[in-house]
Amino acid sequence: MTVLLDLLAFIGRGVLGWCRGAGKLALFGLEGLSHLARPPFYVRRFLVALAEIGYYSLPVVALTAVFTGMVLALQAYTGFARFSAQGATANLVVLSVTRELGPVLAGLMVAGRIGAAMAAELGTMRVTDQIDALSTLSTNPMKYLVTPRLLAGTIALPLLVVIADILGVLGGFIVSTLKLGFNPSVYLTATMNFLEAQDVVSGLAKAAVFGFIIALMGCYNGYNSRGGAQGVGSATTMAVVSASILILAFDYVLTEMFFAR
């Protein structure tokens, strides 16, 4: 009986701790968003964050998208060949890239690059008392450090996903026409005829949510970092891991919302 009670107490502490952490994260995000409606807005900080998240992440996202499209075309052709349905390769590539692989892989790549960078920067500022110094200078740290990054992440990732979708489909087109023997005009016609606006819109909506999650987890873990260099390292790791898990979890939730019948 004692062992059972100890087990229940352990589970209860874990659940309460998770709820407390989720509540803190939600309040942190709401506070950051609330500053969008209250001046001043630091345009320079926003543009710097937009460049860091969007422009400087473009090479890794582009390479990931191109090779993903190439591999997807090869795998789809091999699978469909078993049912003599190789012509559906173009349909599968464009559907998979625009709905799922474009936003999810772009989100994971940006989480690994930008989420870690945000957490490390804000964590270093926290342990060196630079965030407290902003308060003494009558500058709200949330408005100056967090709000521009949240907005930049929400805007930048959909722009990256647009490019990732184009390059992913292009990768599949290159492999299909040069290696698998597809006629270029037939392949492009099949792609355009099968693609629907909902496929692209749903992927961009996912990307906006993923961008917000990446910025939120990077800022939250860095802003609340404690314990010197070791704490900054832990915050950086937690930012990447938590953002990646939330991206995959919200991917299912958003897919259910968009496509469940």
Side-chain angles (χ1 to χ4, degrees):
M1 187 65 179
T2 303
V3 175
L4 180 59
L5 291 176
D6 290 341
L7 178 61
L8 292 176
F10 176 78
I11 296 174
R13 284 193 296 270
V15 172
L16 291 176
W18 184 88
C19 292
R20 182 169 56 250
K24 290 181 179 179
L25 177 62
L27 292 175
F28 183 89
L30 290 175
E31 182 180 357
L33 291 176
S34 68
H35 288 293
L36 289 172
R38 291 178 287 175
F41 181 73
Y42 297 96
V43 178
R44 180 180 177 83
R45 299 293 303 176
F46 165 73
L47 294 177
V48 170
L50 191 65
E52 291 177 349
I53 299 172
Y55 179 75
Y56 294 115
S57 297
L58 184 56
V60 65
V61 171
L63 288 173
T64 301
V66 169
F67 287 113
T68 298
M70 290 179 173
V71 172
L72 187 60
L74 288 174
Q75 295 283 18
Y77 183 86
T78 302
F80 286 139
R82 300 177 182 177
F83 310 100
S84 299
Q86 297 92 322
T89 298
N91 302 341
L92 179 65
V93 170
V94 69
L95 188 68
S96 300
V97 169
T98 54
R99 282 190 180 187
E100 287 296 323
L101 296 180
V104 171
L105 292 180
L108 293 176
M109 292 297 104
V110 173
R113 183 184 178 279
I114 296 300
M118 287 184 182
E121 181 180 353
L122 268 65
T124 302
M125 294 181 69
R126 170 61 73 185
V127 300
T128 57
D129 297 327
Q130 295 181 53
I131 293 179
D132 296 330
L134 288 174
S135 300
T136 62
L137 296 173
S138 300
T139 300
N140 189 311
M142 289 289 294
K143 180 181 288 289
Y144 185 76
L145 297 174
V146 177
T147 300
R149 287 178 166 87
L150 293 179
L151 182 60
T154 305
I155 294 175
L157 200 59
L159 299 178
L160 286 173
V161 168
V162 170
I163 299 173
D165 289 346
I166 296 172
L167 294 177
V169 174
L170 177 61
F173 171 79
I174 292 172
V175 170
S176 297
T177 55
L178 297 183
K179 182 176 178 61
L180 302 179
F182 280 81
N183 182 280
S185 61
V186 173
Y187 187 95
L188 291 176
T189 300
T191 298
M192 297 305 298
N193 290 339
F194 192 75
L195 183 64
E196 297 181 357
Q198 184 184 15
D199 301 327
V200 179
V201 171
S202 64
L204 297 181
K206 288 181 180 182
V209 175
F210 297 164
F212 177 79
I213 289 174
I214 293 167
L216 176 63
M217 299 312 300
C219 292
Y220 176 78
N221 286 282
Y223 194 89
N224 295 287
S225 176
R226 295 290 187 274
Q230 184 176 2
V232 174
S234 299
T236 302
T237 302
M238 183 59 66
V240 176
V241 173
S242 57
S244 300
I245 292 173
L246 287 176
I247 284 173
L248 297 175
F250 273 87
D251 178 51
Y252 172 78
V253 174
L254 294 172
T255 301
E256 183 76 19
M257 292 174 56
F258 279 114
F259 301 110
R261 293 291 186 270

